[in-house]
Amino acid sequence: MSPQPVSAAVESASVYSPDQITAWLNYICLPTSYTEYISSPGTFPKTYDALCTLMRCQISRFPYENLSVHYSSTQLVDIRPDVAYEKIMGPKRDGARRRGGYCMEVSIFFYHMLLGMGFDVYMTGVRNRARTNGIPGGGYLGFTHINNIVQLPSGEKFSVDVGFGGDGPTCPLPLNDLGKSFKNLGNQEIRLTHDHIPKQNSRGDKLWIYQYRNGPHLEWNSFYCFAELEFFQEDFEVMNWWTSAKTLHKWTVLCVRFLREGEGVEFSENPSLPLDCGVKIVGKVMLVDNVIKVNLGRETSIVHSFDTEEGRLRALKDYFGISLTEDEAHSIRDMALK
């Protein structure tokens, strides 16, 4: 007997309930033009502007961070959707506050939010390039990143990456062969091109390549590539074992949050934002080991530094709204501040 269609439909449904999605929509500070859709998430507009708004609200409210590989007894990351929701949106526990996550956590979380709202969305795996002094170069490595692909009712497809940290896009990027560039932050431009990568033997299968340049006079450089092949939770469980155990910046404590227009550098649970207009990303604040860096569209500058673990915990609370539990904070105390 062939499988029943209803089973496939159930399997592809969001694991988050309408109440959970509504709680998220309430928290991300949507412009007032979207207020009417919060209590009925399935009616949310399926337009580019709406998708861009959701993406920008997500990356400005929930930071990219790798704290779980430093502040946990296992130093591993659990990417199951229910665990991700509890970490990112769950109630305060033992003095802790809401967190962000690394790419697989926040992207799987965002995928289930979009799916529950009725977007046509799926996940795919991404190959990153290695970096030297922060600049990508050389060959593409194995699958260590994740991306969401959304198709709107118009038929247009977009890459919606909410988990690449400070170098990530701040708007959905179209999957077409035009290679149109978009302003990202400051003078930085980003785009997707459709081409082969040097190591490919199969020259018939082009890949989407995420590129950037930090000024119109500079050459384009490539961060990562991906195909339009759908990946499933089970695929990312395999990838997560390697990335969280071997490659997730275990040598660096990292936290990055994008800033919206009207938002201060320090985190506010209830920021005073211009909610009667679109969402504009104007900067980013970053914790890198023992300093806080800020980029408001031009140069990156250090605005705060510390030399104790207590100083770092305070910085996480002040700049990212993250308060770790006593057990989490204790797990790193035997490690030297990097």
Side-chain angles (χ1 to χ4, degrees), residues 278-295:
V279 178
K280 183 179 180 181
I281 299 295
V282 297
K284 57 187 175 182
V285 57
M286 301 159 280
L287 181 147
V288 183
D289 285 333
N290 61 346
V291 298
I292 295 292
K293 300 180 180 182
V294 172
N295 184 310

Side-chain angles (χ1 to χ4, degrees), residues 147-161:
N147 190 25
N148 282 304
I149 295 177
V150 176
Q151 182 167 345
L152 297 179
S154 64
E156 299 171 291
K157 282 187 177 181
F158 294 89
S159 165
V160 190
D161 185 351

Side-chain angles (χ1 to χ4, degrees), residues 212-260:
Y212 78 101
R213 64 181 180 183
N214 292 327
H217 61 290
L218 299 175
E219 295 292 324
W220 289 95
N221 197 6
S222 302
F223 270 125
Y224 62 65
C225 69
F226 60 94
E228 293 182 51
L229 173 67
E230 183 171 8
F231 278 44
F232 305 113
Q233 180 71 26
E234 294 83 357
D235 300 310
F236 294 114
E237 293 289 348
V238 175
M239 291 165 56
N240 176 65
W241 182 89
W242 173 262
T243 53
S244 65
K246 300 292 184 180
T247 68
L248 188 54
H249 302 290
K250 294 179 77 73
W251 52 90
T252 303
V253 181
L254 185 64
C255 195
V256 181
R257 180 172 60 89
F258 284 99
L259 301 173
R260 288 170 59 169

